[in-house]
Amino acid sequence: MSAARGNAEDSSAVAVVGGGIAGLTLALALRREGVDCTVFERSPEPAGSGAGLQLAPNATRLLRRLGVADALHAVAVLPRALRLRGWDDDRPLATTALGAACLRTFGAPYYTVHRGQLHHVLREAVGAGRLRTGQRLTAWTEDEDGVCLTFASGARHRAGVMIGADGVHSVVRARMAGDTPVFSGSSVYRGLVPAERLPWAAGEPEIRVWPGPGRHLVCYPVSAGREISFTATVPAAVSGEESWTADGDPAELAAAYRGWNPAAVRLLAAAGPVRRWLLHDREILTDWVTPRVALLGDAAHPMLPFLAQGANQAVEDAVTLAVCLARTGGDDAPAALRRYRDLRLPRTALIQRGARGATRFLHRPGPAGPRASGPPPDPRGPAGLRAMSPLYGYDAEEVAEKAMREPVPWRAVSRPPVS
Ligand SMILES: Cc1cc2nc3c(=O)[nH]c(=O)nc-3n(C[C@H](O)[C@H](O)[C@H](O)COP(=O)(O)OP(=O)(O)OC[C@H]3O[C@@H](n4cnc5c(N)ncnc54)[C@H](O)[C@@H]3O)c2cc1C
């Protein structure tokens, strides 16, 4: 693709709005394809918040091909298993092998990683030359050749296409879809604990999930094993004015998990400062492209974190979009964006719905009290790892390459069949 017409000194083929996981991965994928791009990030010092993320093989195989495998491996942890445990007695209830089993089954690792460190790895790989920080997009105009972007700083930029990778509060989506966030009825507390304070968690690395009455708790090691990250979900009411994120109150968090097993109680008591998120997603869009603008990552399909797939899907989006743009050769950017949408929208819609439904497995009904009999069903299915093939076995790059070799299907010229 070539740069759009306009001021040659400040133009690029692709302008990416948002330097989060989606935007930075797209920059890497476009560079590999030889497509010129510039990433605009509103924060002066993009950092990524201090909490954990699970990265599954559907994303790690793509990140490896983008050249960040070693840097990622150096900061990540390879958990040996995901184990469901009793909320009241910590008894193991069900186990899904990860570690070597995941590598054998899917040919790529399952990692847990500190979000800030993943962000750093991506930023280093992209390089300062392609990333402009302190640039908040405020307005844009689209014409038949491209997009003219305007930033709060007064800077302007001309691009052949603009990609809104600006997260769940996306301004690009606001204009395209005009929809509002949907509150889930839950909030999550996230925090980090130095591993030496929790010898039981630092021993064999695993993802521990305690499904409980109306809430659940997840923890796993990050930062090459030096810290334990946790996510504690609790029911919440929300008022219109309340901010989505805030400092969490450790006393409120402790009270929400009173009566839980001693390991869980110690984990929460050992945390330093905690942050609290009111969990929102949005309704599934039926379209997320115009001829010269597309959404990517959370801007396109914000999902509840209960399948741990939001960032993984952002990586899949980025690689797919880069392949679509590169294989159309820049002659027909609108067609490339439509192919990207048709490849990604049905899959991400399915996962968005799955994430909403996952509380059925994670939250047991009824108030905290005597445990109901029997273990809860394993959200990853009785067949364990193999049952995760549709998610973890998916190779977004292979799918996109194959689609771009085939003739344009009728769907690519109309809206995708998603209800
Ligand atoms: C509690 C919790 C746990 C999670 N756990 C997991 C997990 O285990 N695994 C997983 O895969 N996912 C997980 N996720 C989801 C994951 O964090 C997101 O899906 C992912 O970070 C989305 O990346 P993104 O780049 O699309 O958006 P973001 O990370 O939000 O990045 C958007 C970027 O755009 C910038 N921006 C915004 N507006 C503008 C503007 N106007 N101009 C310029 N820049 C702008 C922002 O500053 C930001 O840097 C979790 C989410 C939560 C809340």
Side-chain angles (χ1 to χ4, degrees):
M1 275 188 82
S2 58
R5 71 174 159 77
N7 178 354
E9 271 162 31
D10 204 17
S11 64
S12 44
V14 181
V16 182
V17 180
I21 293 165
L24 292 174
T25 308
L26 177 61
L28 280 182
L30 288 171
R31 184 179 66 189
R32 185 181 58 164
E33 299 293 348
V35 177
D36 156 50
C37 90
T38 309
V39 181
F40 296 92
E41 165 58 45
R42 70 177 168 191
S43 312
E45 282 293 328
S49 71
L53 276 182
Q54 301 177 48
L55 279 183
N58 50 311
T60 58
R61 71 166 58 86
L62 304 177
L63 291 169
R64 181 177 59 203
R65 291 179 202 149
L66 294 176
V68 295
D70 291 346
L72 184 56
H73 191 78
V75 295
V77 172
L78 203 63
R80 287 190 206 150
L82 178 143
R83 224 180 288 281
L84 295 186
R85 293 176 166 271
W87 67 272
D88 54 351
D89 60 5
D90 197 30
R91 184 169 59 98
L93 302 173
T95 300
T96 301
L98 296 172
C102 202
L103 274 167
R104 244 190 341 268
T105 311
F106 299 116
Y110 196 107
Y111 281 138
T112 53
V113 62
H114 187 296
R115 193 186 146 90
Q117 291 165 3
L118 169 63
H119 199 262
H120 180 76
V121 164
L122 295 173
R123 224 167 50 238
E124 288 292 300
V126 167
R130 278 193 172 74
L131 177 62
R132 296 201 197 158
T133 55
Q135 296 292 352
R136 182 168 64 84
L137 179 79
T138 51
W140 67 95
T141 52
E142 180 178 353
D143 56 51
E144 65 177 22
D145 293 334
V147 182
C148 184
L149 297 79
T150 306
F151 298 89
S153 63
R156 289 162 72 83
H157 188 85
R158 173 87 194 163
V161 299
M162 177 178 88
I163 307 303
D166 49 343
V168 63
H169 302 285
S170 168
V171 295
V172 183
R173 176 172 176 140
R175 192 159 113 187
M176 200 184 277
D179 62 343
T180 50
V182 179
F183 180 52
S184 67
S186 295
S187 69
V188 294
Y189 292 84
R190 291 169 110 181
L192 290 165
V193 181
E196 67 268 14
R197 288 202 216 155
L198 298 169
W200 54 266
E204 172 157 322
E206 62 177 41
I207 300 169
R208 287 171 159 80
V209 182
W210 290 279
R215 65 206 67 206
H216 74 282
L217 177 60
V218 179
C219 81
Y220 45 78
V222 295
S223 306
R226 292 189 305 280
E227 294 177 295
I228 308 299
S229 172
F230 71 82
T231 306
T233 306
V234 300
V238 64
S239 80
E241 294 88 49
E242 199 166 355
S243 158
W244 282 29
T245 63
D247 289 335
D249 177 350
E252 258 178 45
L253 173 59
Y257 283 82
R258 190 165 296 134
W260 279 49
N261 69 81
V265 169
R266 269 199 303 276
L267 166 71
L268 299 180
V274 289
R275 297 279 296 163
R276 189 170 75 104
W277 273 256
L278 291 170
L279 284 182
H280 292 72
D281 64 1
R282 288 174 187 258
E283 296 303 347
I284 293 162
L285 292 180
T286 53
D287 199 358
W288 64 41
V289 302
T290 66
R292 295 276 169 177
V293 178
L295 302 176
L296 186 87
D298 272 12
H301 44 68
M303 52 184 75
L304 298 178
F306 303 143
L307 292 178
Q309 274 290 316
N312 289 274
Q313 291 307 307
V315 171
E316 287 189 9
D317 284 352
V319 169
T320 303
L321 177 56
V323 168
C324 292
L325 285 169
R327 299 298 167 267
T328 47
D331 303 332
D332 194 354
L337 298 188
R338 289 195 302 268
R339 291 306 287 274
Y340 154 72
R341 174 202 64 196
D342 289 352
L343 286 168
R344 296 301 302 154
L345 207 154
R347 174 167 168 82
T348 54
L350 211 60
I351 298 170
Q352 277 177 287
R353 287 195 195 98
R356 280 190 176 177
T359 48
R360 280 201 306 278
F361 303 111
L362 294 166
H363 296 175
R364 317 200 65 189
R371 59 182 297 125
S373 60
D378 181 344
R380 303 195 182 208
L385 202 50
R386 286 204 175 278
M388 301 308 291
S389 283
L391 260 189
Y392 303 164
Y394 191 83
D395 188 328
E397 184 176 357
E398 206 175 278
V399 170
E401 291 287 10
K402 183 163 178 289
M404 294 309 286
R405 283 194 299 270
E406 287 168 357
V408 179
W410 66 269
R411 277 205 317 276
V413 292
S414 62
R415 294 190 166 202
V418 170
S419 56

